Amino acid sequence: MHWKQLPYVAVAFVLALLGAVAVAARQSDEGSAAAPAAADARLKVAHLAPFGADEDGTSVSIRIDGSDVLTEVVFADVSGYLPLPAGVYEVTVVPTGASTPAITQSVTLEAGKDYTAAAVGDGANQSLELLALEDDNAPLADNAKLRIVHAAPFAADLNDTRVDVRFQDGTPVAGLSDIPFKAIGPIS
């Protein structure tokens, strides 16, 4: 890995963490405060794929079933929830100015549920793909929920992407050691 990629790697991991915190904290952006209608699902899109040399080089359009729903999305952008009827959707990520998609993947959405589709990978060390996550936005009475997603594609060998999650003082977080790229860990 080139040293200039380190900020992207760190940001990918931190953004995955912050995106999970924002969902757990029930952020108040438009469309995310209320649960989806019984017949609908909601889909949030996160761009966590540091494939470009700089932020502008990561610009993409997000298409759902062939229609642009988000344009000029750059690395680190996270959308609000998009309401969609339950069903199977083809999500396509197309780099700005390109005609060939970087990612095309089906996502199944169930009625009454929230999801995040995170574009991960860098196209060099790890393949570009969507990591589909079901979001548990149900509030807890006395605790917060935190979902940690390892979205930093800093090595070609999956074993070389393993990390330990630690508190600020360096103490390891129980159950979150030796975590490989794309692993998801809940903390309640």
Side-chain angles (χ1 to χ4, degrees):
M1 175 175 52
H2 192 272
W3 68 271
K4 288 183 180 180
Q5 292 176 312
L6 287 175
Y8 283 129
V9 169
V11 170
F13 190 74
V14 169
L15 283 171
L17 176 62
L18 291 176
V21 170
V23 169
R26 313 251 323 135
Q27 65 185 8
S28 62
D29 63 341
E30 184 178 316
S32 68
D40 286 339
R42 296 188 309 167
L43 179 67
K44 180 179 284 198
V45 179
H47 184 341
L48 305 178
F51 58 80
D54 58 23
E55 185 178 282
D56 290 340
T58 66
S59 181
V60 298
S61 292
I62 309 295
R63 295 178 183 157
I64 296 180
D65 285 348
S67 297
D68 284 352
V69 294
L70 300 166
T71 58
E72 297 182 16
V73 177
V74 295
F75 175 73
D77 283 349
V78 179
S79 74
Y81 280 109
L82 307 169
L84 295 165
V88 178
Y89 292 90
E90 181 180 83
V91 178
T92 306
V93 179
V94 182
T96 300
S99 57
T100 304
I103 302 170
T104 301
Q105 198 166 320
S106 292
V107 175
T108 301
L109 307 178
E110 293 182 30
K113 294 187 178 182
D114 293 333
Y115 298 89
T116 297
V120 298
D122 61 2
N125 291 311
Q126 297 292 328
S127 299
L128 292 168
E129 63 181 287
L130 287 180
L131 183 59
L133 308 166
E134 186 175 330
D135 300 338
D136 180 1
N137 289 327
L140 295 175
D142 298 330
N143 294 310
K145 291 184 267 186
L146 173 66
R147 175 174 61 198
I148 296 176
V149 178
H150 181 345
F154 55 79
D157 185 327
L158 199 57
N159 285 322
D160 293 337
T161 67
R162 295 182 176 280
V163 297
D164 295 337
V165 178
R166 298 177 178 268
F167 291 106
Q168 186 174 357
D169 68 1
T171 306
V173 176
L176 292 176
S177 296
D178 207 28
I179 306 296
F181 175 67
K182 295 192 303 184
I184 303 163
I187 300 176
S188 292

